[in-house]
Amino acid sequence: PALRVIYEASIEIRSAIVFGTAMVILVFIPLFALSGMEGRLFAPLGIAYIVSILASLLVSLTVTPVLSYYLLPEAPATHRHDDSPLLRFLKTQAEHLVRFSMRWAGTLLAITWILVAVCVFLLTQIGADFLPRFDEGSVQVNFTLPPGTSLEASNQIADAVDRKFRAMRKSASNPDGIILQFSRKTGRAENDEHADPVNNTEYILSINPDATESRDEMLEKLVKDLKAELPGVDIENEQPLQHLISHMLTGVKAQIAIKVFGDDLDVLRKTAERVKHSIKDVPGITDPVVEAIGSIEEKHIKLRGDSLAFHGVDRLFVADFISTALKGEEVGQVIQGQRRFDVIIRLEDRFRKDFANLRNLRLELPDHRGTVALSELAKFEEGMGANEISRENARRRITIRANAM
């Protein structure tokens, strides 16, 4: 009966299919041990392939026999008693190979192990680079000003850099110009995926491929001139795509990142400076740059626990009030055609910047018990604090970064 034939055929090849699938999966398991960009690229590929081949195994053990039961009994090929010409040819070729390998099994094994040893030796003698350095045709130049620099000061520095780049741009009067065009971005919005303060400026330069001077020579000269004109400004250069890849892998916008962890920011800064000075003379890397973490002036509003208890309000109530006054709170939306705009309630800019008069703001107490001045619930002080605190795995860190030349 057809059902009996299909059942016995399924039993015959089941073990081969299972073990063959297991061997293929074992081959792909080392992909999950890769680190860096290789791991990020190939790990999803390995997962997808393993899942698909397991699904194929399930189909071959369940769906395929059922389809064979319905389709093969009526197929003319299944009623032949001899092999097709193609199958006879393949069997003939395979027979010669199998007989040869069995006759010279010891010799073939010895040759195989010798080749493995040679490959292992060669592997230890070569370097490792997953992707070569591409010429993207563009260059990204980053400027990092001291922490706390205002947007106006960043724009002043950028204006000087713009003039430098315009002088190097290709035009009718300067046909040998190195730069075709350039764009600038200062800071990133706080809701951006990678928010940046306004003391960070990024330039994207489109390089003239017909320039007589090479890109590396141009960049070396350009960075050297800019550092001479802009003391105290950290300047880094990298290619845009490579810049994004480095940020994706390490969370740092550089090819080389040294991370120092600790709890005391002052100790972190001093340690980072020592690391910077110890590696700045290493050949083959650009000048190392320490993450811009410094102390800036702050306005501190410290709540008084006894006053809060006396007026019957908690810290969250006062904090929400201050946050709404200074930062704002979304209370609705306005729709104009296909566009939507958030409606935010907060103090006018002239009042938000007047720190001295913030103490006069009055809070409405719960249960309509009147109002109270903010100065009665909190103390207003001048202070210092870090402009930015970076964390990794809940620990404070500072990064020293550099790029390969």
Side-chain angles (χ1 to χ4, degrees):
L3 183 60
R4 180 74 180 182
V5 174
I6 293 172
Y7 171 75
E8 292 179 355
S10 300
I11 295 297
E12 181 180 350
I13 66 171
R14 182 172 59 187
S15 61
I17 295 176
V18 172
F19 285 112
T21 302
M23 291 175 63
V24 174
I25 292 176
L26 288 175
V27 171
F28 274 80
I29 285 179
L31 288 179
F32 301 105
L34 294 176
S35 59
M37 184 167 55
E38 305 94 295
R40 296 289 183 90
L41 291 177
F42 286 127
L45 173 64
I47 293 174
Y49 191 86
I50 289 175
V51 170
S52 62
I53 201 171
L54 288 176
S56 175
L57 173 63
L58 181 63
V59 169
S60 65
L61 296 178
T62 57
V63 179
T64 302
V66 175
L67 293 178
S68 300
Y69 174 73
Y70 286 106
L71 300 177
L72 292 183
E74 303 300 329
T78 58
H79 298 286
R80 294 181 55 177
H81 298 287
D82 56 344
D83 296 332
S84 65
L86 177 59
L87 186 56
R88 286 198 301 269
F89 172 76
L90 294 177
K91 282 185 176 182
T92 302
Q93 300 302 317
E95 180 182 0
H96 293 306
L97 293 175
V98 171
R99 291 185 182 277
F100 175 80
S101 62
M102 296 303 295
R103 186 181 303 115
W104 301 96
T107 304
L108 291 176
L109 285 175
I111 294 175
T112 302
W113 282 112
I114 291 173
L115 292 176
V116 170
V118 172
C119 291
V120 171
F121 173 76
L122 294 177
L123 185 63
T124 61
Q125 302 301 312
I126 62 176
D129 193 4
F130 176 62
L131 287 176
R133 186 180 183 185
F134 297 110
D135 186 355
E136 300 177 17
S138 300
V139 175
Q140 179 167 334
V141 183
N142 299 333
F143 295 83
T144 304
L145 279 66
T149 302
S150 65
L151 180 59
E152 291 76 10
S154 294
N155 285 332
Q156 291 177 1
I157 297 295
D159 290 340
V161 178
D162 289 349
R163 289 192 294 270
K164 180 76 173 180
F165 289 160
R166 289 193 186 98
M168 302 173 63
R169 190 167 58 182
K170 181 180 179 179
S171 61
S173 59
N174 184 23
D176 295 328
I178 299 174
I179 300 175
L180 295 177
Q181 56 190 6
F182 65 91
S183 61
R184 170 171 68 96
K185 178 165 52 181
T186 298
R188 290 175 183 259
E190 61 183 15
N191 291 330
D192 191 274
E193 185 177 357
H194 303 292
D196 261 343
V198 294
N199 65 314
N200 292 336
T201 298
E202 300 176 357
Y203 277 91
I204 302 294
L205 312 179
S206 180
I207 305 301
N208 181 13
D210 300 325
T212 57
E213 194 174 5
S214 69
R215 183 189 64 179
D216 293 338
E217 293 174 351
M218 181 273 295
L219 284 176
E220 183 178 358
K221 179 181 178 181
L222 175 64
V223 173
K224 183 177 180 180
D225 294 344
L226 289 174
K227 286 184 176 180
E229 296 179 13
L230 305 173
V233 178
D234 293 325
I235 304 175
E236 305 165 89
N237 63 274
E238 195 176 3
Q239 299 189 93
L241 288 181
Q242 183 63 48
H243 175 83
L244 294 176
I245 291 173
S246 301
H247 197 195
M248 177 189 71
L249 294 179
T250 64
V252 179
K253 302 174 182 178
Q255 299 173 4
I256 303 170
I258 303 174
K259 300 178 181 179
V260 182
F261 294 88
D263 298 322
D264 193 317
L265 290 177
D266 292 332
V267 175
L268 283 177
R269 281 195 292 264
K270 293 178 182 178
T271 304
E273 289 295 334
R274 291 202 301 269
V275 173
K276 173 184 175 181
H277 289 295
S278 65
I279 67 172
K280 67 178 182 180
D281 296 327
V282 173
I285 66 171
T286 59
D287 292 338
V289 175
V290 177
E291 187 175 357
I293 296 180
S295 298
I296 59 174
E297 293 184 359
E298 291 182 341
K299 311 296 185 181
H300 292 174
I301 302 177
K302 297 183 178 180
L303 301 180
R304 299 171 176 167
D306 53 348
S307 298
L308 295 177
F310 177 78
H311 291 282
V313 295
D314 56 16
R315 296 178 182 273
L316 179 61
F317 176 81
V318 182
D320 287 342
F321 176 83
I322 297 174
S323 176
T324 301
L326 300 181
K327 184 180 178 181
E329 179 181 351
E330 180 182 343
V331 294
Q333 285 187 333
V334 174
I335 301 176
Q336 294 183 358
Q338 300 297 321
R339 305 176 66 185
R340 296 173 180 266
F341 301 92
D342 294 334
V343 177
I344 297 178
I345 180 173
R346 68 181 183 186
L347 289 176
E348 295 183 15
D349 288 344
R350 58 192 180 96
F351 295 117
R352 291 168 56 222
K353 297 178 181 179
D354 190 354
F355 185 70
N357 285 327
L358 285 179
R359 65 181 69 245
N360 297 324
L361 286 177
R362 303 193 67 82
L363 289 77
E364 184 176 353
L365 297 175
D367 301 328
H368 306 287
R369 290 185 285 110
T371 61
V372 59
L374 185 59
S375 58
E376 297 184 27
L377 303 176
K379 296 185 296 183
F380 290 74
E381 300 176 350
E382 303 283 344
M384 301 292 292
N387 69 307
E388 180 181 356
I389 299 178
S390 300
R391 296 181 183 271
E392 188 169 323
N393 294 327
R395 297 190 62 193
R396 291 182 176 181
R397 67 149 171 89
I398 192 170
T399 304
I400 305 94
R401 58 182 187 266
N403 293 316
M405 299 179 63

